């Protein structure tokens, strides 16, 4: 893949990430009054909690699988495993420790496979506690990409 195409894919990924983050921010505001344990919620509140966790998962997925991998291509790094991608994010200063992104990716997978919602309270609490951390990672990434030569 040529460099221009890689840069185009990176920019598209960043646009999708920004849109997904806007949706996540909307959901974050909606779930503000909900308790972390989610005891006694139903209906619209439950739907809001589920939307929030799904949107958290989408942001993580776009960040790791699309944007960070596209950035690797732009910087001519070899295609690697998930571990390579998260270690690259740590080396670039997007995250303090690679294990955090790996943990977020595991939560993303738990969200995708929690069909009955049995883990929703734990997942919801995790997502709410880590939302601002995820924002920081995305913002550092955006700043880094903005400084890349054309």
């Amino acid at each position: 893949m040529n460099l221009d195409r890689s840069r185009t894919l990176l920019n598209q990924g960043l646009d999708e990430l920004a849109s997904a983050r806007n949706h996540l921010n909307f959901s974050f505001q909606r779930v503000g009054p909900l308790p972390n344990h989610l005891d006694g919620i139903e209906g619209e509140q439950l739907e809001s909690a589920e939307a929030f966790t799904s949107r958290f998962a989408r942001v993580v997925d776009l960040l790791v699988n699309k944007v960070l991998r596209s950035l690797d291509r732009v910087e001519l790094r070899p295609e690697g495993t998930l571990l390579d991608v998260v270690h690259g994010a740590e080396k670039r200063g997007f995250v303090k420790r690679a294990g955090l992104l790996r943990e977020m990716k595991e939560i993303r997978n738990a969200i995708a496979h929690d069909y009955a919602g049995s883990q929703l309270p734990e997942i919801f609490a995790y997502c709410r506690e880590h939302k601002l951390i995820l924002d920081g990672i995305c913002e550092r990434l955006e700043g880094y990409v903005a400084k890349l030569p054309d």
Side-chain angles (χ1 to χ4, degrees):
M1 182 178 300
N2 69 36
L3 191 55
D4 288 338
R5 178 75 177 133
S6 295
R7 185 63 186 232
T8 298
L9 289 174
L10 174 59
N11 290 334
Q12 288 172 345
L14 286 168
D15 288 345
E16 288 178 43
L17 182 63
S19 178
R21 288 183 62 214
N22 284 335
H23 292 124
L24 177 60
N25 288 335
F26 175 81
S27 286
F28 187 62
Q29 296 302 315
R30 300 241 3 220
V31 299
L34 298 181
N36 271 351
H37 52 73
L38 298 179
D39 288 343
I41 72 159
E42 52 188 52
E44 285 185 28
Q45 290 179 323
L46 181 60
E47 188 174 69
S48 293
E50 289 175 341
F52 172 68
T53 60
S54 292
R55 289 172 174 181
F56 184 94
R58 190 170 301 120
V59 168
V60 169
D61 201 37
L62 282 166
L63 171 66
V64 174
N65 291 333
K66 194 162 194 177
V67 177
L68 290 175
R69 288 189 184 276
S70 293
L71 178 58
D72 282 347
R73 283 187 217 104
V74 166
E75 293 187 328
L76 304 175
R77 293 179 184 230
E79 186 85 16
T81 64
L82 171 63
L83 198 54
D84 296 325
V85 171
V86 298
H87 280 280
E90 180 183 49
K91 287 178 185 175
R92 291 178 183 115
F94 306 151
V95 63
K96 288 184 182 177
R97 62 178 182 84
L100 179 61
L101 268 180
R102 190 171 183 184
E103 180 181 286
M104 287 182 178
K105 187 71 173 153
E106 289 170 3
I107 290 295
R108 177 258 173 232
N109 292 340
I111 292 166
H113 299 288
D114 186 29
Y115 304 115
S118 61
Q119 295 179 305
L120 183 60
E122 295 85 12
I123 289 170
F124 177 77
Y126 178 92
C127 293
R128 184 146 67 179
E129 290 167 13
H130 287 80
K131 194 264 187 201
L132 296 178
I133 295 168
L134 181 58
D135 284 341
I137 295 166
C138 292
E139 288 162 11
R140 285 186 289 280
L141 166 69
E142 290 166 356
Y144 180 92
V145 170
K147 294 177 185 173
L148 288 176
D150 287 331

